[in-house]
């Protein structure tokens, strides 16, 4: 298969960098490996996706990105740093870093659409933008495109830069020269396994979402299992513990993306504010925040765990 010229490929990566992306790589669009497909199907069959029922949908597409764009030849994988320079006050109800700023779905999509338009102009080929709401194996393709490796904590770790990254993809019918896959690993470390407050990880890199606070505090609707109150430790939106303890995040650099800076509404979040908030106020305040997914009822439930 003849590939697009090296010059055009480099122009795409340069434009990605200009848009704020910290890493960009190309992989041949094809079905995922048999091993990857089997691991995912077993994870679903064992019910370890927990309350993430959507993870069991569109498995055929998840295993073959060419079904998402007719004639797709390349998966372009991109990473955008969201590590904050400023943190919440220690006394505040704890919000995971990914929800500190503007909703990452909006931010990623805008930048990916801009890059996709640039690619179409350069190559005269079709594109499709994907954020994490699309049925695509994001971390798998990030590894194939050479961005990094999947840690035992199940996060994509970019060598030398850590794991506080949002991932996005652009499928294109342009045949771009593929990058070398990343073959690194953190096998043998296990600090995240020991640090996980709910025991959701094991040393083989398996995640049990039925015990993952990042999942439960956001995705689960209704009452939470009683044991969650013993390990939540003031968290109301998600959990960063498996990343905070990771040696690869020892020297992370704060994001330069203004949209991901700690917003006043998250900085000033308090127990009193959550308890006194109306549904209308919640929708208005968090209209462009990932916190909107939790809903006010979920925020209050998480706030009062163990009361």
């Amino acid at each position: 298969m003849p590939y697009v010229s090296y010059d055009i490929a480099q122009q795409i990566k340069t434009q990605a960098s200009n848009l704020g992306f910290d890493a960009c790589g190309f992989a041949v669009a094809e079905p995922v490996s048999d091993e990857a497909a089997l691991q995912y199907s077993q994870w679903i069959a064992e019910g370890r996706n927990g309350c993430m029922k959507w993870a069991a949908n569109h498995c055929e597409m998840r295993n073959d990105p060419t079904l998402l764009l007719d004639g797709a030849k390349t998966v372009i994988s991109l990473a955008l740093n969201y590590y904050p320079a400023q943190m919440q006050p220690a006394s505040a109800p704890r919000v995971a870093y990914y929800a500190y700023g503007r909703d990452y779905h909006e931010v990623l999509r805008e930048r990916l659409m801009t890059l996709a338009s640039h690619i179409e102009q350069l190559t005269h080929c079709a594109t499709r933008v994907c954020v994490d709401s699309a049925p695509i194996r994001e971390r798998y393709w990030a590894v194939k495109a050479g961005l990094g490796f999947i840690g035992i904590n199940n996060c994509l770790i970019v060598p030398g830069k850590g794991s506080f990254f949002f991932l996005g993809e652009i499928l294109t019918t342009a045949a771009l020269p593929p990058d070398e896959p990343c073959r690194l690993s953190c096998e043998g470390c296990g600090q995240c396994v020991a640090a996980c407050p709910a025991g959701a990880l094991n040393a083989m890199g398996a995640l049990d979402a039925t015990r993952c606070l990042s999942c439960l505090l956001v995705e689960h609707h209704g009452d939470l299992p009683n044991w969650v109150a013993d390990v939540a430790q003031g968290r109301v939106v998600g959990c960063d513990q498996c990343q905070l303890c990771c040696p690869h995040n020892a020297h992370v650099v704060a994001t330069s993306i203004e949209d991901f800076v700690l917003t006043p509404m998250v900085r000033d979040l308090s127990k009193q504010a959550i308890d006194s908030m109306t549904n209308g106020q919640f929708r208005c305040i968090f209209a462009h925040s990932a916190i909107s997914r939790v809903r006010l009822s979920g925020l209050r439930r998480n706030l009062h765990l163990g009361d």
Side-chain angles (χ1 to χ4, degrees):
M1 176 173 61
Y3 292 115
V4 168
S5 72
Y6 177 80
D7 180 61
I8 287 178
Q10 285 304 115
Q11 287 184 57
I12 292 170
K13 291 188 176 182
T14 297
Q15 179 66 1
S17 178
N18 292 340
L19 287 167
F21 289 102
D22 297 85
C24 173
F26 310 144
V28 175
E30 60 187 359
V32 303
S33 68
D34 290 343
E35 179 185 13
L38 179 60
Q39 286 177 342
Y40 192 85
S41 65
Q42 288 179 336
W43 185 70
I44 295 295
E46 293 167 3
R48 286 188 287 160
N49 57 314
C51 54
M52 296 188 295
K53 303 302 182 186
W54 47 264
N57 300 332
H58 310 296
C59 285
E60 187 177 6
M61 289 183 178
R62 292 182 195 280
N63 289 333
D64 187 355
T66 65
L67 299 177
L68 293 169
L69 175 66
D70 189 35
K73 292 184 174 64
T74 305
V75 179
I76 304 173
S77 185
L78 301 113
L80 196 61
N81 179 12
Y82 68 88
Y83 187 79
Q86 181 187 3
M87 314 298 178
Q88 286 180 286
S91 60
R94 295 167 65 183
V95 173
Y97 295 163
Y98 78 85
Y100 267 22
R102 185 177 164 215
D103 189 342
Y104 65 93
H105 296 90
E106 298 178 2
V107 180
L108 264 178
R109 184 171 294 280
E110 289 171 1
R111 291 170 188 256
L112 290 170
M113 290 295 290
T114 299
L115 181 58
S117 177
H118 183 72
I119 292 167
E120 290 178 358
Q121 291 173 18
L122 282 173
T123 66
H124 306 290
C125 291
T127 62
R128 176 174 174 175
V129 162
C130 299
V131 293
D132 70 358
S133 54
I136 187 168
R137 303 281 292 274
E138 290 193 306
R139 291 164 297 163
Y140 177 90
W141 291 109
V143 173
K144 291 282 284 186
L147 269 62
F149 62 94
I150 301 173
I152 295 173
N153 61 3
N154 276 244
C155 296
L156 193 282
I157 297 173
V158 180
K161 296 183 178 180
S163 65
F164 288 97
F165 289 93
F166 295 125
L167 300 178
E169 299 75 38
I170 298 174
L171 302 176
T172 178
T173 55
L176 298 171
D179 290 286
E180 278 294 313
C182 182
R183 293 183 171 85
L184 301 175
S185 78
C186 55
E187 184 178 355
C189 174
Q191 289 193 36
C192 56
V193 177
C196 178
L201 300 167
N202 70 30
M204 301 302 293
L207 168 70
D208 184 354
T210 68
R211 296 197 64 84
C212 176
L213 293 180
S214 191
C215 172
L216 289 168
L217 295 176
V218 176
E219 301 280 349
H220 186 88
H221 299 302
D223 293 336
L224 287 164
N226 291 335
W227 60 262
V228 176
D230 298 328
V231 297
Q233 299 175 331
R235 298 177 178 88
V236 293
V237 179
C239 176
D240 288 319
Q241 192 58 40
C242 67
Q243 297 190 80
L244 291 172
C245 71
C246 178
H248 291 280
N249 287 321
H251 304 292
V252 290
V253 175
T255 182
S256 61
I257 307 298
E258 286 294 322
D259 282 319
F260 296 149
V261 171
L262 177 68
T263 61
M265 62 190 182
V266 176
R267 181 196 63 209
D268 299 334
L269 196 65
S270 66
K271 294 180 179 180
Q272 294 77 14
I274 294 172
D275 279 333
S276 63
M277 199 178 295
T278 66
N279 279 307
Q281 289 171 332
F282 177 86
R283 287 192 294 269
C284 181
I285 293 170
F286 297 112
H288 296 283
S289 166
I291 295 175
S292 63
R293 187 173 180 86
V294 184
R295 306 176 185 176
L296 180 57
S297 59
L299 203 59
R300 286 194 178 134
R301 175 202 63 192
N302 298 345
L303 178 68
H304 293 289
L305 286 170
D307 287 2

